[in-house]
């Protein structure tokens, strides 16, 4: 990889976007060996409101910590999608939850749609793992971290009682990511 | 040697790790965004390290508590953000005059007043210098990277102990909340300074002994009886209205910092040698500045970065030196113009500010746009 790779996780406060950013940062920097900066922006509310977490990944030291030319963005709500998609770069990736984001923006980037929250609810009975499914999909769509690094990062961040649940969620994400990539 | 394990830490968590490494064993604070994680981390880790953590009823109580703990011989710290920093000014002045070592962390958010709690700001830098009334010494450090926050927190304690003075650590919300992989230093790997204690018998002890520029500081409870006050005082710590003693006391607490600038000052210089344009920036804005230098150098623009890690005392001599070679000094800061005026005071060339208070960072592109006008 050359230069900076920028990922933005966006959604509503409480959807685990910041945790997704932290896990991606750990996968890339601790379990893979790249440089990362993870930052976030959120409002004063503890639930709701558009929130975003960003991860910059690079072989070189990273100075500017915020995303300006995004390689991959996840949008889990319409509000976040509309507010934050404009920084996606040419040939970048936009992944949206197809049930939440009905008005998908157009641009010179690839759009992937998938019912992420519904899948978490229907297949695992817990919408709370939607962010982990997203991480699986993004791992496959971007190839920016290895499956192995991502799995280690996810499992090191979740409580022991929920290891299996999160592992299943991640693997659903990996499979869907592969399918989406093949088109 | 085996490669040490990297861990992903938040800036605020790194500050807590630095405090523990430096030997801080007392924290008193009142939670406030975006500094709360410093207190959270220390509330878990301090008791395990044999220290004490207390959440006080407010910010004035917090700084008063750390002054008390420090006088009892324990390295102490508090952390806050703008609104709390305003309240702590009274205690900061007391610690300056009474010469009590302590560390005050201000994770800067948007102001004034309650302002923008979750957004970054750099508008407390002059408050750090002049927020408490009267002539007083100030040391303030401005780290910009997570690993650096750890190191600079240790340095803050070292300076506080060495010079018997409060030391402030100023970083903004972006740096406080960002996560980067860092390596925790091993014990002994970086220098830790402890305060000088008296060796004389208790009956001969003066807390402001006139024979010293910085007198040894006894700990309450170790047999040394002494008086501490916010009034101008004699060497025994009791109040005075003798003009000569008052003036010498104030001059000495300022002189002890000014005379030791070589030890206290610290800058990063990046591509400055042949720079025709100099960016002077601190905190997260310096990261934008560094990025701007890298991009502009590729375009052939001769630009460099001067990044003070010690913002107070102000790096006057370095700026004078750099500005003799540069055509312009560009000062980006997340306020409407504070440090830029200090730079104007010292620089031998044109000075231009870039200012922003909308809670968004100053981008490299914004800095490059201004530099293009001067290339």
């Amino acid at each position: 990889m050359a230069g900076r790779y920028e990922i933005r996780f966006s959604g509503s406060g409480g959807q685990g976007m910041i945790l997704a950013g932290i896990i991606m940062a750990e996968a890339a920097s601790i379990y893979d060996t790249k440089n990362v900066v993870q930052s976030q922006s959120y409002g004063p509310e503890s639930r709701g409101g558009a929130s975003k977490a960003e991860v910059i990944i690079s072989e070189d030291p990273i100075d500017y910590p915020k995303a300006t030319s995004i390689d991959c963005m996840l949008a889990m709500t319409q509000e976040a999608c509309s507010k934050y998609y404009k920084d996606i770069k040419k040939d970048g990736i936009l992944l949206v939850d197809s049930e939440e984001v009905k008005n998908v923006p157009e641009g010179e980037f690839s759009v992937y749609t998938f019912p992420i929250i519904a899948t978490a609810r229907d297949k695992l009975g817990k919408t709370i793992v939607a962010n982990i499914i997203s991480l699986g999909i993004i791992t496959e769509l971007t190839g920016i971290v290895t499956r192995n690094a991502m799995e280690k990062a996810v499992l090191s961040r979740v409580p022991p009682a929920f290891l299996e649940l999160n592992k299943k969620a991640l693997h659903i994400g990996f499979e869907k990511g592969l399918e989406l990539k093949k088109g | 040697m085996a490669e040490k394990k990297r861990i992903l830490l938040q800036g605020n968590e790194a500050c807590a790790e630095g405090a523990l490494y430096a030997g801080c064993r007392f924290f008193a604070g009142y939670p406030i965004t975006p500094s709360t994680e410093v207190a959270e981390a220390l509330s878990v880790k301090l008791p395990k390290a044999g220290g004490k953590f207390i959440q006080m009823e407010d910010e004035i109580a917090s700084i008063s508590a750390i002054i008390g703990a420090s006088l009892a011989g324990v390295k102490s710290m508090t952390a806050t953000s703008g609104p709390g920093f305003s309240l702590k000014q009274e205690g900061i002045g007391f610690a300056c005059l009474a010469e009590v070592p302590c560390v005050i962390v201000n994770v800067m958010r948007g102001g004034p007043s309650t302002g923008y709690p979750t957004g970054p700001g750099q508008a407390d830098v002059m408050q750090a210098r002049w927020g408490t009334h009267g002539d007083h010494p100030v040391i303030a450090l401005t780290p910009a990277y997570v690993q650096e926050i750890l190191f600079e927190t240790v340095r803050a304690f070292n300076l506080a102990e060495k010079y018997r003075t409060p030391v402030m650590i100023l970083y903004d919300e972006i740096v406080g909340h960002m996560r980067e992989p860092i390596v925790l230093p091993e014990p002994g790997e970086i220098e830790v300074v402890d305060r000088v204690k008296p060796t004389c018998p208790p009956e001969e002890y003066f807390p402001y002994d006139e024979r010293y520029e910085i007198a040894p500081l006894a700990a309450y409870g170790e047999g040394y009886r002494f008086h501490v006050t916010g009034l101008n005082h004699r060497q025994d710590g009791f109040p005075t209205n003798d003009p000569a003693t008052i003036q010498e006391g104030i001059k000495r607490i300022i002189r002890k910092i000014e005379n030791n600038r070589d030890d206290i000052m610290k800058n990063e210089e990046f591509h400055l040698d042949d720079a025709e344009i100099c960016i002077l920036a601190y905190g997260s804005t310096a990261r934008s500045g560094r990025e701007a230098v890298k991009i502009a150098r590729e375009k052939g623009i001769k630009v460099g970065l001067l990044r003070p890690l010690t913002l107070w005392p102000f790096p006057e001599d370095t700026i004078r030196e750099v500005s003799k070679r540069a055509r312009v000094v560009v000062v980006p800061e997340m306020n409407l113009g504070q440090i830029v005026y200090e730079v104007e005071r010292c620089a031998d060339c044109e000075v231009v500010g870039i200012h922003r208070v909308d809670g968004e960072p100053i981008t490299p592109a914004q800095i490059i746009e201004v530099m293009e006008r001067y290339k």
Side-chain angles (χ1 to χ4, degrees), chain B residues 197-206 209 211 218 222-225:
Chain B
K197 290 197 167 186
T199 50
C200 65
E203 58 275 19
E204 290 170 21
Y205 178 66
F206 293 119
D209 196 323
R211 291 172 300 171
E222 289 182 354
Y224 290 80
R225 291 178 64 193

Side-chain angles (χ1 to χ4, degrees), chain A residues 5 7 24 71-74 91-96 110-114 116 133-145 147 173-183:
Chain A
Y5 195 92
I7 307 175
M24 175 58 80
D71 294 272
C72 175
M73 172 167 137
L74 166 71
D91 299 327
I93 294 168
L94 172 64
L95 169 65
V96 301
S110 314
V111 177
Y112 297 93
T113 64
F114 184 69
I116 303 169
I133 296 178
S134 310
L135 282 170
I137 299 173
I138 289 168
T139 302
E140 285 302 328
L141 286 181
T142 66
I144 192 66
V145 290
R147 270 194 184 204
F174 286 153
E175 298 317 312
K176 290 297 163 192
L178 266 184
E179 281 174 30
L180 287 170
K181 204 174 176 182
K182 283 178 191 156

